[in-house]
Each structure stands twice: as structure tokens, then as C-alpha cells.
Amino acid sequence: MRYDVDTAALRDDVSSIDEVLARVQRLGIADELRPVAAALPGSRCCAALRHVAAEWTARLAATRWELQELGRCLAAAADTYDAVERAARQGVERSFGGSR
């Protein structure tokens, strides 16, 4: 049984994840909510907006971590597949004296 893994596609996916990660890092939801909360000092809305901002901050931090992990895993998979392919090719070349 043989299957091929397109490691270039895996690396392209890592680049795509990096782009998404950069976009997520630029999201400033908490920063956007602060002026609204400041405009309503002492209100229940002010406290609720602080809570919403904290929740978004936590969720975005978790999303960034997950994206970073996914990128690392895809890169590691591509590296491993390439290493196995190189090792197999070198083994075949040694077995057959470099000729096929």
C-alpha cells in the first residue's frame, strides 16, 4: 500500500494559518468595547461590557494558541514525511548501488 502526501500543500496550509493568526491577533474587540463602557460608568451595561471584553480576550487567546498548535503540527508532519521519504530514497539507493 502506498500513498503520497503533498508536503508542499501542508506547508501552504501553514502559511494560510499564519495569515489567519495575524488577523486574529489584530482583532481588538476588547479595545472597541472600552469606550462604550467608559461612556456608561456605573451602569450594569458597563460591567457587562467589561465581562464581554474579558470573555472575548480569553476566547481569542485560546484561538491563537490553537492556530499556533495546528500550524506547528502541520509543519512537523510535513517535515516528518519529507524525512521519511529522504531516508527511504537513500535506503533504496544504497541497496541498489545508486542505480535503478
Side-chain angles (χ1 to χ4, degrees), residues 48-83:
L49 285 171
R50 280 196 293 265
H51 177 71
V52 168
E55 286 295 318
W56 270 109
T57 299
R59 285 181 182 220
L60 290 172
T63 298
R64 286 191 304 270
W65 183 85
E66 289 172 0
L67 286 167
Q68 289 168 338
E69 265 315 288
L70 179 58
R72 278 193 285 270
C73 289
L74 288 175
D79 291 345
T80 302
Y81 283 122
D82 284 343

Side-chain angles (χ1 to χ4, degrees), residues 10-31:
L10 289 175
R11 293 181 202 292
D12 285 344
D13 291 341
V14 172
S15 294
S16 295
I17 289 169
D18 289 342
E19 291 171 17
V20 171
L21 182 58
R23 288 181 183 173
V24 170
Q25 288 173 329
R26 287 192 303 265
L27 289 175
I29 295 170
D31 295 333

